[in-house]
């Protein structure tokens, strides 16, 4: 009786391991969207796409820019035109001289200089404290560093209004020093010095800097302070610009805290001064004063706008 032997097949059935490996090389399915790429490639699809895109951009731009437009044009209207119903979109008889009248009548030059002085001091003190603190938490790794960072971030969950009374009592009678900082620039600078959000942003950026750069500088004999100044700071210009903008704008737009700690009329910030003089000032002059007080912050934004996204999205270094 002859035995039948199975002829080996030239094509073997793939085992489970090989099938799993083959699936790894398969192309991922394209994401499902409301409109397919093929439809977007047609002339009709392109027209619809660009129409919707331009409409959305114009709509959102109008929503954000219209308050500024209303403030600028409202200042050039007369008091009667501002009070009429319905309001006019364009001033019937524009009067740019209202801005000069607001500058002279409200003494905006003095209050703008006061605010600029407070913002510059708060920025300098905040950089002097937040940068070393973030560097220590990120690279030096002190004992209980994570606990300290968690406690600092926990302060962001507390509403600022809750801290007004403790901060006021602290500034009125500074612990250990026992001095009164009311009606002095330190009343603005001291609370703005330690900013938990600024420390968090800086630490996250410092974490992305390779440790090899620091080790190479330390091999060359650089101390921790020299590493921070010569290695970390030049690399961190984008995030330093972001934190600087937040520090300056935070002081510039603050109202309640300067109102409490700077009761002297000669030392008021521009926002407090405009509010205190609003009862005896016509509405068009008040709007002109608001426009003038907004110009420095707008200029600061346009000068450093590219650093905002660059600093917030920077997560590493490219070789």
């Amino acid at each position: 009786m002859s035995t039948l032997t199975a002829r080996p097949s030239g094509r073997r059935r793939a085992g489970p391991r090989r099938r799993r490996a083959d699936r790894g090389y398969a192309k991922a399915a394209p994401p499902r969207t409301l409109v397919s790429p093929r439809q977007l490639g047609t002339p009709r699809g392109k027209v619809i796409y660009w129409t919707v895109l331009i409409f959305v951009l114009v709509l959102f731009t109008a929503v954000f820019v219209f308050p500024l437009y209303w403030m600028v044009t409202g200042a050039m209207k007369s008091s009667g035109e501002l009070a009429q119903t319905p309001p006019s979109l364009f001033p019937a008889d524009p009067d740019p001289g209202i801005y000069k009248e607001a500058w002279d009548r409200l003494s905006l030059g003095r209050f703008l200089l006061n605010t600029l002085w407070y913002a510059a001091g708060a920025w300098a003190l905040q950089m002097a404290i937040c940068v070393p603190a973030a560097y220590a938490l990120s690279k030096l790794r002190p004992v209980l560093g994570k606990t300290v960072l968690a406690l600092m971030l926990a302060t962001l969950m507390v509403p600022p209004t809750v801290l007004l009374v403790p901060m006021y009592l602290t500034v009125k009678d500074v612990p250990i020093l026992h001095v009164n900082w009311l009606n002095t620039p330190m009343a603005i600078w001291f609370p703005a010095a330690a900013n938990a959000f600024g420390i968090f942003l800086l630490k996250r950026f410092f974490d992305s800097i390779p440790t090899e750069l620091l080790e190479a500088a330390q091999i060359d004999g650089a101390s921790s302070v020299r590493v921070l100044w010569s290695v970390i700071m030049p690399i961190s210009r984008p995030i330093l610009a972001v934190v600087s903008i937040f520090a300056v704008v935070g002081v510039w737009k603050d109202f309640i805290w300067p109102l409490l700690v700077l009761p002297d009329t000669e030392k008021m910030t521009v926002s407090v001064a405009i509010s205190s003089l609003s009862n005896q000032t016509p509405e068009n002059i008040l709007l002109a004063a608001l426009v003038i007080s907004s110009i420095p912050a707008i200029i600061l934004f346009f000068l450093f706008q590219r650093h905002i996204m660059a600093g917030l999205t920077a997560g590493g270094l490219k070789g």
Side-chain angles (χ1 to χ4, degrees):
M1 183 175 180
S2 61
T3 59
L4 298 175
T5 58
R7 182 176 298 177
S9 175
R11 184 177 179 183
R12 293 184 179 181
R13 186 178 180 183
R17 182 178 301 176
R18 185 171 180 180
R19 286 199 299 270
R20 287 195 298 267
D22 292 341
R23 282 199 296 267
Y25 291 99
K27 277 189 174 182
R32 297 176 62 89
T33 58
L34 185 63
V35 182
S36 66
R38 183 177 179 181
Q39 291 175 328
L40 285 178
T42 61
R44 183 171 176 270
K46 291 181 181 179
V47 171
I48 296 176
Y49 170 78
W50 285 107
T51 303
V52 173
L53 179 62
I54 293 174
F55 173 76
V56 171
L57 291 178
V58 171
L59 177 63
F60 276 89
T61 303
V63 168
F64 287 101
V65 174
F66 183 77
L68 295 176
Y69 167 80
W70 186 258
M71 187 169 58
V72 172
T73 57
M76 294 186 289
K77 297 178 182 178
S78 62
S79 299
E81 189 177 359
L82 278 173
Q84 73 179 13
T85 304
S88 59
L89 190 59
F90 303 99
D93 187 14
D95 184 13
I98 294 294
Y99 290 101
K100 185 178 185 305
E101 184 178 353
W103 179 273
D104 297 333
R105 183 168 179 173
L106 300 181
S107 301
L108 291 179
R110 181 177 72 241
F111 298 124
L112 285 173
L113 287 177
N114 290 344
T115 310
L116 181 62
W117 171 240
Y118 298 144
W123 166 79
L125 201 59
Q126 189 172 132
M127 290 295 103
I129 293 178
C130 291
V131 172
Y135 172 66
L137 292 172
S138 175
K139 297 303 181 183
L140 301 184
R141 306 292 176 85
V143 180
L144 300 178
K146 294 183 179 180
T147 304
V148 173
L149 179 62
L151 292 175
M152 285 191 299
L153 294 179
T155 60
L156 298 177
M157 308 302 159
V158 182
T161 53
V162 177
L163 303 176
L164 286 178
V165 174
M167 288 170 56
Y168 181 84
L169 296 177
T170 301
V171 171
K172 185 178 180 181
D173 185 13
V174 181
I176 301 176
L177 300 178
H178 297 290
V179 294
N180 187 358
W181 279 345
L182 295 179
N183 269 326
T184 64
M186 286 302 298
I188 304 294
W189 297 345
F190 184 69
N195 187 280
F197 185 65
I199 293 176
F200 174 72
L201 288 180
L202 290 167
K203 180 187 178 300
R204 293 289 294 175
F205 188 91
F206 293 166
D207 289 342
S208 66
I209 298 177
T211 309
E212 289 78 7
L213 292 177
L214 281 66
E215 294 175 350
Q218 291 172 353
I219 292 175
D220 291 339
S223 62
S224 298
V225 178
R226 183 62 184 274
V227 170
L228 173 62
W229 182 259
S230 301
V231 179
I232 300 293
M233 297 286 283
I235 296 175
S236 307
R237 288 176 182 173
I239 195 63
L240 291 176
V242 172
V243 176
S244 299
I245 292 173
F246 287 162
V248 173
V249 174
V251 175
W252 198 274
K253 68 182 181 62
D254 198 5
F255 175 76
I256 297 179
W257 182 246
L259 179 65
L260 291 176
V261 299
L262 299 173
D264 190 353
T265 56
E266 297 295 325
K267 299 179 180 179
M268 288 181 176
T269 60
V270 65
S271 59
V272 176
I274 292 175
S275 176
S276 62
L277 299 174
S278 60
N279 294 330
Q280 57 218 25
T281 305
E283 292 183 355
N284 54 350
I285 295 179
L286 185 62
L287 287 174
L290 293 175
V291 173
I292 295 173
S293 65
S294 304
I295 290 176
I298 295 174
I299 293 176
L300 182 68
F301 169 76
F302 279 112
L303 289 178
F304 297 99
Q305 60 174 332
R306 66 186 183 91
H307 294 290
I308 296 178
M309 292 307 299
L312 293 177
T313 58
L317 299 177
K318 295 181 179 180

